[in-house]
Amino acid sequence: MRDEQQEELARRAAAGDRNALEMLLAAIQPSVLRRCSRFLPCYQDAEEACQDVLMQVARNIGGFEGRSKFSTWLHVIIANGSRQTYRTLKRRASEQGYGEMPIDVADARTTSVIAGSRLDLLDALERLESTRAELVAPMVLRDICQLDYKEIATHLGIPEGTVKSRIHQARGQVREYLLAGL
């Protein structure tokens, strides 16, 4: 589906068109799953996050005002949903007595480094959010969701220079956390 068609479906769905919402959810599902997989190391976890994101889109589409592109709005929901899924999984692992989240990794020679890196990044973002929450969204939208500075500035309602500054600060903090081993 072309971006213009997706934007039109989103506008119609936001206006209350249930048929457009169903078509939109079906169209974005593969992309949402792929993007959730950028955050979470296990496919099953990404699937769980994907379902949560689709539910959030369905519940909150009425709040989509069209000030930014639908894809930008969706990226924010994906980032927040994936990070929330990670926090939930981490809490469950802790409640079940695991020192760390159990991860089923198919081939430890190739995927454990990637999975571990993602988990380290999620932990670093969680730590950053507890001290400088305003830095998290710009960094996630740029480095993980790969949005351009202008889109981020429009979505967050802040100047582009502020976006760049916050990303720079966030990267420095995250780098420190990662080097220190959290």
Side-chain angles (χ1 to χ4, degrees):
M1 173 176 286
R2 293 188 333 260
D3 287 344
E4 304 86 40
Q5 291 173 313
Q6 185 174 298
E7 293 292 326
E8 177 59 26
L9 280 176
R11 280 191 291 279
R12 288 180 27 216
D17 183 336
R18 302 301 294 169
N19 192 30
L21 176 60
E22 289 178 25
M23 291 170 51
L24 179 66
L25 293 173
I28 65 172
Q29 191 274 337
S31 171
V32 169
L33 179 58
R34 187 175 60 255
R35 290 180 179 139
C36 288
S37 295
R38 288 183 183 167
F39 284 91
L40 299 160
C42 298
Y43 186 76
Q44 295 83 357
D45 298 341
E47 285 180 317
E48 183 177 331
C50 176
Q51 290 306 309
D52 291 343
V53 166
L54 294 174
M55 286 177 49
Q56 287 296 321
V57 169
R59 279 192 206 119
N60 298 311
I61 192 69
F64 173 64
E65 299 171 349
R67 287 181 296 156
S68 61
K69 293 193 307 188
F70 172 75
S71 59
T72 303
W73 186 80
L74 180 60
H75 279 298
V76 173
I77 295 174
I78 291 168
N80 292 339
S82 296
R83 292 176 55 231
Q84 182 58 45
T85 297
Y86 174 69
R87 284 190 287 269
T88 300
L89 293 169
K90 190 175 174 181
R91 188 188 72 246
R92 279 188 214 150
S94 174
E95 289 169 356
Q96 294 174 1
Y98 294 104
E100 295 180 11
M101 280 184 39
I103 300 174
D104 297 326
V105 179
D107 183 349
R109 293 170 298 170
T110 59
T111 45
S112 64
V113 171
I114 295 167
S117 296
R118 287 184 196 165
L119 294 179
D120 290 344
L121 177 59
L122 288 168
D123 284 336
L125 289 172
E126 193 171 325
R127 186 167 175 195
L128 179 61
E129 188 168 42
S130 70
T131 59
R132 301 280 313 272
E134 75 279 6
L135 301 181
V136 175
M139 181 182 168
V140 168
L141 292 174
R142 178 69 182 155
D143 292 346
I144 298 174
C145 299
Q146 300 172 339
L147 298 182
D148 64 38
Y149 295 114
K150 186 174 183 174
E151 278 184 288
I152 297 167
T154 300
H155 180 76
L156 296 177
I158 58 177
E160 198 171 320
T162 303
V163 168
K164 291 177 181 181
S165 173
R166 288 183 181 178
I167 291 169
H168 176 74
Q169 292 173 50
R171 287 173 178 163
Q173 286 291 142
V174 166
R175 187 179 307 111
E176 282 181 31
Y177 295 151
L178 293 173
L179 291 174
L182 299 175

